[in-house]
Each structure stands twice: as structure tokens, then as C-alpha cells.
Amino acid sequence: MELKEMVMEQLRTVYDPELGINVVDLGLIYDLRIDDGIVSIVMTLTTPGCPLHDSIVGGVKRALMHIEGIKDVDVQITWNPPWTPERMSEAALRQLGHI
């Protein structure tokens, strides 16, 4: 499995505690780059001022640091573009009962 695929799989283990859906299926991951073992992620949260900001960002970092070949993880939070439910996967929408 390619390193980027392994990173995405691990990101599926990080859940938004309020919704119980992983950050990938929620559509929170906007960009992912890996350069010489450094993972750079641009992501958002479902709401600005989310009280679980540190928990979710920490979960992302912890999930990735044990992957062989990963030296560091840099997570940048952005609010542009703002998150909307349209970013969710079909699995996430089904889980929330929207389809």
C-alpha cells in the first residue's frame, strides 16, 4: 500500500466525537501532502470555535505518527472554504439518516 493510502486509512480512525463519524467521511480533510516523511494536512472542522478542536487535531497527529516512514505531522486548520454537509460521503450521510 502506498504511503498516502496508508495515511488516508489511518485518518478514517479519527472520529469527530460529537457526530461519531471519521474526519475523512465528514469531508474535513481538504489537502494532504507528504514530503520526505513530513505529512502536511489542511483540514477544517464542522464549526468555527469547535470545543473539540485540540482533541481532533491531536487525534489526527497520533493516528499518523506510528506509520513507518512518517517523521512529523503538521495540521493546519482553515475555515475557507467553510465546511458544509455536502462535503460528507454517502456513508456519513447514511449514518446520520440523510439518505
Side-chain angles (χ1 to χ4, degrees):
M1 185 182 298
E2 188 181 314
L3 186 56
K4 189 169 186 174
E5 291 171 352
M6 289 174 27
V7 167
M8 287 301 288
E9 270 308 301
Q10 281 303 303
L11 287 173
R12 291 186 192 291
T13 69
V14 180
Y15 286 80
D16 178 305
E18 291 181 318
L19 297 174
I21 300 173
N22 71 68
V23 296
V24 174
D25 285 333
L26 272 175
L28 301 181
I29 306 298
Y30 286 1
D31 190 42
L32 170 82
R33 296 170 194 239
I34 304 171
D35 185 33
D36 195 30
I38 309 297
V39 178
S40 298
I41 295 174
V42 177
M43 66 178 291
T44 194
L45 300 171
T46 55
T47 58
C50 174
L52 299 168
H53 170 277
D54 292 340
S55 174
I56 294 171
V57 170
V60 165
K61 290 180 179 183
R62 283 188 301 279
L64 303 182
M65 283 306 298
H66 75 277
I67 297 174
E68 186 175 335
I70 301 296
K71 298 175 190 170
D72 197 13
V73 178
D74 177 50
V75 178
Q76 298 294 317
I77 298 293
T78 186
W79 303 110
N80 190 21
W83 178 85
T84 64
E86 288 79 30
R87 294 191 57 86
M88 293 191 298
S89 71
E90 280 189 35
L93 289 169
R94 240 187 327 276
Q95 188 172 338
L96 291 175
H98 292 318
I99 58 172

